[in-house]
């Protein structure tokens, strides 16, 4: 029970730091690059949140299954489940990186990019989808 509470607090602190990062990022972008750059960054926030949600879904599901196997003394099955979660995350990362870069223009429009900020939104989103494996694995490995 104590371990579960500590884990929840750790997750909440991690999400808090992620939110603070997004705010600080917005302040720097807004002050240094201007209003259009800030709007372009805001267009990509839902993309980041979707990636985080996907990673947390895999991590939570795998964590429950791994914990159940460990509780039953089945350490080999727990290791196998971790490997499967890592493989799933790697495949998901690869798909997001490839398809995200291929369909970046329609994705930006879907997320609300306007013609005035489209180029900047594309530039910002390209980094997010290209380096999404790091984001996905960071959430997988900390759960």
């Amino acid at each position: 029970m104590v371990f579960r509470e500590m884990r929840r607090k750790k997750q909440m602190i991690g999400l808090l730091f992620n939110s603070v990062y997004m705010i600080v990022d917005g302040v720097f972008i807004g002050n240094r690059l201007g209003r259009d750059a800030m709007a372009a960054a805001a267009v990509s926030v839902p993309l980041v949140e979707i990636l985080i949600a996907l990673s947390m879904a895999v991590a939570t599901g795998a964590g429950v299954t791994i914990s159940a196997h460990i509780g039953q003394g089945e350490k080999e099955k727990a290791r196998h489940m971790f490997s499967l979660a890592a493989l799933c995350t790697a495949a998901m990362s690869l798909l997001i990186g490839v398809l995200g870069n291929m369909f970046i223009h329609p994705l930006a429009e879907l997320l609300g990019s306007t013609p005035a900020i489209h180029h900047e939104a594309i530039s910002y989103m390209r980094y997010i989808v290209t380096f999404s494996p790091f984001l996905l694995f960071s959430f997988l490995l900390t759960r």
Side-chain angles (χ1 to χ4, degrees):
M1 187 71 165
V2 173
F3 178 71
R4 189 179 302 155
E5 287 297 318
M6 287 175 47
R7 188 173 187 190
R8 280 190 202 140
K9 288 179 183 177
K10 185 174 129 181
Q11 289 174 343
M12 287 174 34
I13 291 170
L15 289 172
L16 177 69
F17 278 121
N18 185 48
S19 297
V20 169
Y21 164 76
M22 298 286 275
I23 292 168
V24 171
D25 190 35
V27 168
F28 278 104
I29 291 172
N31 286 332
R32 298 276 183 190
L33 302 177
R35 186 174 46 163
D36 287 348
M38 184 63 195
V43 165
S44 64
V45 168
L47 176 63
V48 173
E49 297 301 325
I50 289 168
L51 293 175
I52 290 171
L54 287 172
S55 181
M56 288 178 74
V58 172
T60 303
V64 168
T65 309
I66 289 168
S67 296
H69 286 307
I70 289 173
Q72 295 171 353
E74 301 170 336
K75 291 187 178 182
E76 192 57 41
K77 286 185 179 180
R79 285 188 191 102
H80 176 71
M81 183 52 64
F82 175 77
S83 298
L84 186 61
L87 182 64
C88 179
T89 301
M92 194 168 41
S93 298
L94 182 65
L95 279 173
I96 290 167
V98 171
L99 294 177
N101 278 303
M102 283 176 56
F103 298 107
I104 196 134
H105 291 281
L107 181 61
E109 290 172 7
L110 178 71
L111 293 175
S113 174
T114 62
I117 62 166
H118 190 73
H119 179 70
E120 290 177 340
I122 295 297
S123 298
Y124 199 74
M125 289 173 62
R126 194 167 304 279
Y127 285 106
I128 293 170
V129 296
T130 301
F131 294 104
S132 65
F134 297 104
L135 178 70
L136 294 173
F137 272 101
S138 73
F139 277 91
L140 175 73
L141 298 176
T142 58
R143 297 293 176 263

